[in-house]
Amino acid sequence: MDREVLFAQTLEQVRRQAREQGNCVEEEQVREAFASLELNETQLQMVFDYLTKHQIGIGTPQDPDALLSDEEKDYLQIYIEELEALPDYSPGEIEGLTRSAMAGDEAASRKLVEAYLREVAQVARLYVGQGVGLEDLIGEGNMALTLGIRLLGGLDTPKEAPGMLIKCVMDAMEEQIREHADSYRQDQKMADKVNRVAAKARAMAEEMRRKVTPEELAKDSGMSLQGILEALRLCGNQIEDIEYAEDSL
């Protein structure tokens, strides 16, 4: 396996382990995880710095609310207060509900969702600061929880349920963050394309003292006409230094 791919996979595993441990990982756990890559101390320090930057404590948990905005703090407080109105099930009751849910009892499944809502909110706090808002994380987690409970029938014992359900919640939140990051990168790529076209059009328009056509821009800049037209479509034909078809009517 390519070394860079292995490094990325190992880093993701360490991040996941830290989330499962309350946003904290021991230094020795990190060293063990990267042992096969034989990183030097400078490289390992870069890994530690990366984890710290992403609110993962090394040996000591970081404050999970440090990255919450004031609005998110208010939302979380109100949300937790609303959850207080739900029944507080004992471990024995939760196990009983899990057994019933595993057997297909819909009423038990609904109660089990209620029993885990607080857990979802706590997990969401661990993923704040990665591009997705707390409310959206909780919403995605709650949906994953509901879907996960429908899969309990495939387990052997109720004791497997907590780990499986929290894994479903974490997987959903991490996928939401990945999708947001992909969307952000795509948006940035499109914005960069529009900006490049606009900058070149502005330079040509100033030199020619008039607006330029897409064809002229393509010929002079070396950009493809298709790429320029795509940039115009992306911005809704709002590059002022380019002459659009309607300008010549």
Side-chain angles (χ1 to χ4, degrees):
M1 182 182 297
D2 184 87
R3 182 180 174 84
E4 291 184 0
V5 173
L6 180 58
F7 178 87
Q9 290 180 347
T10 304
L11 186 59
E12 183 59 30
Q13 290 169 2
V14 170
R15 289 183 62 181
R16 183 57 179 265
Q17 183 180 24
R19 302 297 182 200
E20 294 172 351
Q21 296 174 173
N23 247 21
C24 180
V25 66
E26 297 296 330
E27 179 178 332
E28 189 57 34
Q29 290 178 315
V30 177
R31 292 182 178 277
E32 289 179 3
F34 285 94
S36 62
L37 287 167
E38 299 182 344
L39 302 183
N40 59 40
E41 284 301 314
T42 299
Q43 292 169 324
L44 280 170
Q45 187 56 54
M46 291 175 64
V47 172
F48 292 133
D49 291 343
Y50 172 87
L51 295 173
T52 301
K53 180 179 178 181
H54 286 78
Q55 297 301 305
I56 294 175
I58 308 300
T60 303
Q62 293 197 19
D63 180 5
D65 295 338
L67 296 180
L68 288 177
S69 66
D70 290 340
E71 182 179 344
E72 287 176 324
K73 290 177 181 177
D74 291 341
Y75 168 79
L76 182 60
Q77 181 178 348
I78 293 172
Y79 183 73
I80 294 298
E81 289 175 354
E82 291 175 348
L83 293 184
E84 292 302 322
L86 298 176
D88 190 10
Y89 298 103
S90 68
E93 289 173 322
I94 291 177
E95 182 174 343
L97 290 172
T98 303
R99 290 184 183 278
S100 297
M102 290 172 65
D105 187 325
E106 288 296 327
S109 294
R110 288 192 293 272
K111 292 179 179 178
L112 201 57
V113 169
E114 295 179 348
Y116 278 94
L117 288 178
R118 295 179 183 85
E119 294 288 339
V120 174
Q122 296 307 317
V123 171
R125 293 166 66 206
L126 304 178
Y127 287 97
V128 169
Q130 300 184 61
V132 180
L134 178 68
E135 186 173 356
D136 289 335
L137 288 168
I138 291 176
E140 191 71 17
N142 288 345
M143 186 182 301
L145 170 65
T146 302
L147 294 174
I149 285 176
R150 295 177 184 175
L151 303 175
L152 290 179
L155 300 182
D156 294 326
T157 69
K159 292 183 178 180
E160 297 176 279
M164 187 273 272
L165 292 176
I166 296 303
K167 182 179 185 301
C168 287
V169 169
M170 295 179 73
D171 286 346
M173 292 182 185
E174 290 175 5
E175 178 62 23
Q176 187 182 30
I177 290 170
R178 280 193 294 270
E179 289 177 355
H180 177 273
D182 290 342
S183 177
Y184 177 79
R185 282 192 291 269
Q186 184 63 27
D187 289 345
Q188 286 295 108
K189 183 177 180 180
M190 291 189 295
D192 289 344
K193 176 182 287 188
V194 171
N195 290 336
R196 287 197 302 272
V197 171
K200 184 60 178 176
R202 168 61 60 86
M204 287 184 62
E206 289 178 350
E207 181 178 343
M208 300 172 70
R209 297 185 180 181
R210 65 171 174 81
K211 293 183 177 182
V212 298
T213 66
E215 290 76 12
E216 288 174 329
L217 184 58
K219 181 178 180 180
D220 188 82
S221 69
M223 301 178 188
S224 70
L225 179 59
Q226 181 179 357
I228 292 170
L229 294 177
E230 174 67 9
L232 296 178
R233 184 187 67 79
L234 291 172
C235 70
N237 291 347
Q238 295 302 308
I239 299 179
E240 62 182 16
D241 295 303
I242 293 182
E243 179 181 345
Y244 303 105
E246 60 266 28
D247 292 335
S248 60
L249 294 178

